[in-house]
Amino acid sequence: MRILLVEDDPMIGEAVSLALRDAAYAVDWVRDGVTAQQVMGDHEHQAILLDLGLPRRDGLEVLRRARRDGLALPVIVITARDGVEDRIQGLDLGADDYVLKPFDMKELLARLRAVVRRQGGHSAPVLDNGIVTLDPATRVATSADAQATLGAREFALLHALLLRPGRILARSELEGHIYGWNEEVESNAVDFLIHGIRRKLGSTVIRNVRGAGWMVDAPR
Ligand code: CA
């Protein structure tokens, strides 16, 4: 699960990034509204944590434009503003939830889980290529051999493959789905995750295409 964090305060940004990584999320952190808007178009993330008081473009304006352009991701607004008007405006503009600074990190994580779960329950379908199914809401994968709850990064990897059945994804593409921009990627991380998934679900769910990458079969 990869999260976009938009926050200009370095201390808050650092603390939230750390807490998210501790909870096994991949995090990309940007510090102004214009950059945030550009990055949102890349569709790399599963949820957005959005500060309102931002340089270059106000968070409410970022949100308004993103929803206008069809962004469907859950957005949690993080704000120091205690004015009820800002909260109402944020929700009207399409925020899914908000937290007021200073906030408890555990509360933020719980709210994040809740919006992602609601999103999963409503709109994220179970992925299925006829060999393995994956439920984004629960991270439960089912093959002919077994059923297992995947770890956060195992899920991210299998999810990336199942979104493109029949297509080979190179190591660097898979890493892009699993890690944030500034995260150190260990050279054998993808192999390690694939080994874990095969151990849980059977060795045939993911195919290695030597020298090119990995794939799951297209549905027949
Ligand atoms: Ca701010």
Side-chain angles (χ1 to χ4, degrees):
M1 192 75 63
R2 191 160 167 184
I3 307 297
L4 177 63
L5 169 64
V6 189
E7 171 61 76
D8 62 315
D9 182 304
M11 280 176 60
I12 295 172
E14 197 68 52
V16 173
S17 295
L18 276 174
L20 288 169
R21 288 192 183 119
D22 279 351
Y25 294 99
V27 187
D28 296 319
W29 176 16
V30 298
R31 294 162 177 77
D32 72 82
V34 171
T35 307
Q37 202 97 60
Q38 288 161 356
V39 169
M40 283 174 189
D42 297 341
H43 305 291
E44 289 180 312
H45 303 97
Q46 280 77 52
I48 298 172
L49 302 177
L50 179 67
D51 182 30
L52 290 189
L54 290 170
R56 299 181 71 199
R57 186 174 296 159
D58 187 77
L60 285 175
E61 179 61 16
V62 171
L63 180 61
R64 191 185 67 75
R65 292 188 188 204
R67 292 305 191 207
R68 179 198 66 195
D69 295 343
L71 180 90
L73 295 185
V75 174
I76 298 180
V77 160
I78 305 174
T79 177
R81 302 173 188 180
D82 49 11
V84 70
E85 284 304 318
D86 275 322
R87 269 178 275 161
I88 292 169
Q89 206 186 347
L91 293 167
D92 280 345
L93 287 172
D96 296 272
D97 203 352
Y98 61 86
V99 291
L100 294 178
K101 294 175 187 174
F103 53 85
D104 184 278
M105 211 61 75
K106 288 201 211 96
E107 183 191 349
L108 177 64
L109 290 173
R111 288 182 183 275
L112 182 59
R113 283 195 301 275
V115 295
V116 169
R117 195 164 55 229
R118 283 204 294 273
Q119 170 96 349
H122 288 304
S123 59
V126 171
L127 299 167
D128 182 2
N129 71 336
I131 293 170
V132 61
T133 66
L134 181 63
D135 184 346
T138 59
R139 297 206 310 242
V140 170
T142 309
S143 68
D145 298 331
Q147 183 168 72
T149 303
L150 300 183
R153 285 182 169 159
E154 291 173 340
F155 167 80
L157 191 154
L158 186 58
H159 189 253
L161 289 170
L162 277 170
L163 284 174
R164 304 162 188 80
R167 222 194 94 191
I168 300 165
L169 294 190
R171 179 182 302 274
S172 59
E173 288 177 281
L174 289 172
E175 287 169 351
H177 287 277
I178 302 165
Y179 293 94
W181 299 317
N182 300 319
E183 282 183 271
E184 191 80 39
V185 181
E186 294 194 27
S187 61
N188 61 352
V190 167
D191 307 84
F192 185 75
L193 292 169
I194 286 176
H195 177 75
I197 294 167
R198 285 174 167 162
R199 195 165 44 77
K200 288 179 179 173
L201 298 170
S203 57
T204 54
V205 295
I206 297 176
R207 285 182 24 198
N208 177 223
V209 183
R210 198 165 287 278
W214 292 267
M215 64 180 283
V216 296
D217 285 325
R220 286 162 198 258

